[in-house]
Amino acid sequence: MAYYEHVVIARQDISPQQAEALNDTLKALVEEHGGTVAKIEYWGLRNLTYRIKKNRKGHYSLLALDAPAPAVKEMERQLSINEDVLRYLTVRVEELDLELSPVLARRDREGGREGREGREGRGDREGRGDREPRAERSFDDVAI
């Protein structure tokens, strides 16, 4: 059998529980056709780079599969029928990476911080009072 990484983006209107149920359905489908799902990661509701079917956000999930090609083909067929699925992508890989994906690893790393103000190298939003005010210019001062 071959190794695959599969990413699914579901509509923003469904609940996280429904997105998890979709993952469970995919797992059952792959196992029914003789494959195994080594890892399922639910990345949560994330912003899309561009609108897809009038959606600005989507529920992202990553599945690591060890499955025969017909199982992947059937899974993709089922996803193309499902109205809750915006996009999916299956990529064949040489070996499965069972560690935490960079998306979740970054979220865990930033979990202990208090947001933007706590990050190094970023300006403090409320600490801008130490700057000198911008000089007032009239239109006469501007060279055309």
Side-chain angles (χ1 to χ4, degrees):
M1 288 190 280
Y3 299 126
Y4 299 93
E5 286 187 352
H6 181 77
V7 178
V8 180
I9 305 174
R11 288 185 314 121
Q12 64 187 4
D13 301 339
I14 68 172
S15 68
Q17 292 79 19
Q18 289 173 310
E20 294 281 351
L22 176 65
N23 293 339
D24 294 338
T25 304
L26 295 175
K27 180 179 180 182
L29 185 67
V30 168
E31 289 174 349
E32 179 181 312
H33 285 83
T36 59
V37 178
K39 166 176 86 167
I40 298 177
E41 289 184 1
Y42 173 66
W43 293 348
L45 189 65
R46 301 175 56 87
N47 290 327
L48 298 172
T49 305
Y50 54 89
R51 281 191 193 175
I52 302 173
K53 297 180 186 174
K54 299 182 181 178
N55 289 283
R56 293 182 183 270
K57 295 184 177 196
H59 292 275
Y60 281 71
S61 296
L62 171 72
L63 288 82
L65 310 172
D66 180 10
V72 175
K73 188 80 168 167
E74 177 62 20
M75 181 180 63
E76 289 180 342
R77 188 186 75 79
Q78 292 286 337
L79 289 172
S80 66
I81 294 170
N82 193 335
E83 293 180 359
D84 290 336
V85 176
L86 298 175
R87 292 280 193 276
Y88 60 87
L89 177 68
T90 308
V91 178
R92 185 171 177 181
V93 293
E94 293 296 320
E95 62 183 48
L96 292 178
D97 184 16
L98 299 179
E99 294 179 12
L100 206 57
S101 68
V103 173
L104 291 183
R106 182 171 13 119
R107 184 182 297 166
D108 288 347
R109 215 175 36 241
E110 292 177 354
R113 296 187 182 169
E114 289 86 32
R116 287 190 160 203
E117 288 80 22
R119 292 184 188 164
E120 293 180 24
R122 305 259 179 164
D124 206 23
R125 291 189 184 255
E126 289 137 20
R128 291 188 177 174
D130 58 344
R131 281 201 237 161
E132 293 182 23
R134 188 180 255 176
E136 295 295 324
R137 298 173 97 187
S138 66
F139 287 110
D140 298 333
D141 297 339
V142 179
I144 298 177

